[in-house]
Amino acid sequence: MLTLHKGSPLRAAATKRNHTTLFVNMKKFEMDFTVVENEHISPLYSLLILTPAEGHVPECAPGQFVQVEVPNSKSTFLRRPISINFVDHERDELWLLVRRAGSGTAALIDTHEGDKLNLVLPLGHGFDAAPKGGKALLVGGGVGVAPLLELGKAMSHNGVEVEFLLGARSKSDLLELGLFERYGKVHVATEDGSMGEKGFVTQHSALGGNVTHIACCGPQPMMKAVAKIAAERGIDCEVSLENMMACGLGACLCCVEDTADSGNVCVCKEGPVFNIKRLKW
């Protein structure tokens, strides 16, 4: 049984696999964080800006996630997995972009400045922030755009030319556009045509551009369509799966995915990010 001690690091077991980014021996923490800001972006979305109650924000890789204990909810027993949106080590801040999907996420969205949240982090394997080649297209839909902000920051700092392709139903549903523009050119697709090209991201002209790497997060049908385009064009592609996760540590077997090279694996440990060559898509 894997035991987490409050504020203490754990060594994360890592198994070498082809086509995956490895985060060997990254320490895992259970920590209390204080809500310093809760920005209600829309009725569905909130940006939670957190700072550690003690110590500092641990090193986190783009695409990793946290497990958040839901406060003041007797009916919510399981932690909620939330992608890491952004890390600001100078300000000692961790950002979480939360979508209201049920009672657990609703309780997180309803937190206030000064409230405490207990997190286990950082969890999982993330994106390759320094892919071979010079240009990456980061594709996101809905709340799936969340991990792409930290990824775009890391890639741009590593000398990768970054472009974003972000999709939503309408202009009002697009998230953090100004923040993405700090790190690369932003393309937009909206289903109603209120901003950018009309239609889905999978129909956007940017997918026909000259890129060497694609990273994608969002609804599975969207990711499968992007993966198919990448495979047909011979472009290296990673996707972040959103399988249901309960423990985040590979103990409950709730998030199992059947892979081409390793059979059934826990997405929370070997993912959530996978190279599409490993998936049976």
Side-chain angles (χ1 to χ4, degrees):
M1 179 179 294
L2 182 61
T3 302
L4 286 172
H5 298 285
K6 194 175 185 67
S8 298
L10 292 177
R11 293 290 182 180
T15 304
K16 187 173 183 179
R17 305 288 186 190
N18 292 332
H19 313 303
T20 61
T21 301
L22 300 181
F23 301 97
V24 180
N25 294 332
M26 286 195 76
K27 298 176 182 179
K28 310 300 178 190
F29 297 84
E30 180 191 1
M31 299 176 61
D32 287 329
F33 281 75
T34 302
V35 178
V36 295
E37 185 175 348
N38 182 352
E39 180 183 349
H40 294 284
I41 299 174
S42 75
L44 277 182
Y45 294 96
S46 270
L47 174 62
L48 299 181
I49 299 179
L50 313 176
T51 191
E54 295 180 0
H56 301 282
V57 176
E59 290 296 327
C60 302
Q64 289 188 298
F65 66 99
V66 304
Q67 288 280 109
V68 187
E69 185 176 52
V70 179
N72 305 319
S73 178
K74 294 181 180 180
S75 63
T76 307
F77 301 104
L78 298 175
R79 291 174 180 262
R80 293 299 186 260
I82 306 290
S83 294
I84 295 171
N85 178 222
F86 191 76
V87 178
D88 187 335
H89 285 292
E90 290 186 2
R91 297 173 63 89
D92 223 11
E93 291 179 348
L94 176 75
W95 296 12
L96 302 178
L97 188 61
V98 183
R99 181 183 185 275
R100 188 185 298 270
S103 59
T105 49
L108 295 177
I109 285 177
D110 290 340
T111 55
H112 300 89
E113 182 179 334
D115 286 350
K116 295 291 192 298
L117 293 175
N118 184 266
L119 275 58
V120 177
L121 77 162
L123 297 172
H125 290 277
F127 291 99
D128 181 3
K132 294 180 181 178
K135 188 173 182 180
L137 180 66
L138 312 189
V139 185
V143 77
V145 305
L148 303 183
L149 182 61
E150 180 68 12
L151 177 60
K153 180 189 74 173
M155 281 185 164
S156 63
H157 289 174
N158 288 336
V160 180
E161 183 181 353
V162 176
E163 292 190 5
F164 300 95
L165 173 53
L166 310 178
R169 291 181 179 178
S170 181
K171 177 180 178 179
S172 60
D173 298 315
L174 291 164
L175 306 170
E176 302 185 320
L177 290 184
L179 297 174
F180 283 107
E181 289 172 350
R182 296 178 183 178
Y183 305 110
K185 183 177 181 180
V186 176
H187 305 276
V188 168
T190 52
E191 294 178 30
D192 64 1
S194 55
M195 187 173 182
E197 294 185 16
K198 184 176 182 178
F200 302 111
V201 293
T202 52
Q203 302 166 322
H204 199 285
S205 59
L207 277 173
N210 183 25
V211 299
T212 55
H213 184 83
I214 293 176
C216 184
C217 185
Q220 189 177 90
M222 181 202 83
M223 291 194 293
K224 285 186 174 182
V226 171
K228 181 179 179 181
I229 293 170
E232 290 173 347
R233 298 187 58 203
I235 299 172
D236 189 57
C237 180
E238 294 179 303
V239 295
S240 181
L241 302 189
E242 296 185 333
N243 295 34
M244 183 177 293
M245 300 180 193
C247 71
L249 300 168
C252 68
L253 305 181
C254 186
C255 60
V256 169
E257 180 80 14
D258 188 14
T259 62
D261 60 348
S262 307
N264 290 327
V265 300
C266 290
V267 169
C268 65
K269 288 187 68 176
E270 292 220 13
V273 177
F274 291 85
N275 192 292
I276 60 170
K277 294 176 183 178
R278 294 193 64 196
L279 299 174
K280 293 184 176 181
W281 285 3

